[in-house]
């Protein structure tokens, strides 16, 4: 059985000024950031999100086969926890190249980082930090104080990304 690495970020203690430069740099390079809500969350956008999520998920250790599009819509979008305001995307030209999707769990009082991904040719330039900064702002603006993420123990890049942002091992 996989021992998931369970990480958590204290939103109150998060100093976003440490990461703003990554957002500025990405914007200066021609990437625009928006949300699924602002884009309309229509079938065309859902397909683009699916394609991006699928391409990025191919590099998640232990992920196995990805959903078909219909499965993705049924299990990831047409669900109560899908919040189009909490799905950040980075777009260059017509290409969707980065995403960070967050769900909110009011009863348990935490936000959950569902998926952060950057297309392989655009990696190692700070783009995940830029798009995740927007996700963290969303969490903060919704009044949540905890952002949680679970990773396969072999997903070194994702674990390092989150630790870089200040995530620590969950206690208990
Ligand atoms: C994880 C992922 C989103 C990182 O995207 P990225 O844009 O390349 O990451 P960044 O350039 O912003 O790097 C941020 C930090 O993460 C760490 N990091 C990123 N990639 C890494 C790698 N391959 N190995 C080790 N550390 C890595 C570093 O600490 C880095 O900071 P630094 O460059 O200042 O040292 C990307 O590798 C990806 O899409 N992977 C596949 C999908 C996935 O596993 N998503 C997470 C599951 S939800």
């Amino acid at each position: 059985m996989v021992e998931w690495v369970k990480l958590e970020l204290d939103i109150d203690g998060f100093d976003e000024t440490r990461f703003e430069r990554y957002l500025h740099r990405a914007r200066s390079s021609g990437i625009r950031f928006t949300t699924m809500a602002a884009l309309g969350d229509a079938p065309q956008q859902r397909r683009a999100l699916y394609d991006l999520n699928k391409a990025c998920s191919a590099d998640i250790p232990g992920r196995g086969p990805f959903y078909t599009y219909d499965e993705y819509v049924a299990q990831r979008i047409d669900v109560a926890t899908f919040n189009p305001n909490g799905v950040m995307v980075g777009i260059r030209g017509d290409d969707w190249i980065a995403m960070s999707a967050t769900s909110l769990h009011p009863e348990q009082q935490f936000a959950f980082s569902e998926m952060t991904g950057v297309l392989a040719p655009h990696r190692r330039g700070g783009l995940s930090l830029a798009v995740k900064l927007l996700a963290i702002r969303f969490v903060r603006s919704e009044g949540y104080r905890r952002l949680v993420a679970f990773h396969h123990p072999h997903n070194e890049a994702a674990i390092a990304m989150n630790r870089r942002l200040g995530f620590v091992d969950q206690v208990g």
Side-chain angles (χ1 to χ4, degrees), residues 80-160:
T81 49
F82 179 79
N83 184 336
N85 290 301
V87 181
M88 309 297 155
V89 293
I91 301 175
R92 175 178 275 149
D94 291 330
D95 299 330
W96 292 39
I97 62 174
M99 66 176 288
S100 190
T102 307
S103 58
L104 302 175
H105 301 268
E107 284 177 13
Q108 296 97 335
Q109 300 188 339
F110 70 87
F112 187 72
S113 192
E114 298 278 346
M115 171 66 190
T116 300
V118 173
L119 285 186
H122 302 277
R123 288 184 191 155
R124 296 314 308 255
L127 196 41
S128 78
L129 300 175
V131 76
K132 199 127 186 184
L133 170 58
L134 296 175
I136 294 166
R137 282 184 183 165
F138 165 73
V139 172
R140 182 174 265 165
S141 73
E142 292 289 326
Y144 286 74
R145 303 173 72 187
R146 299 165 59 208
L147 176 59
V148 174
F150 292 172
H151 294 298
H152 190 285
H154 294 164
N155 197 344
E156 290 169 16
I159 294 166

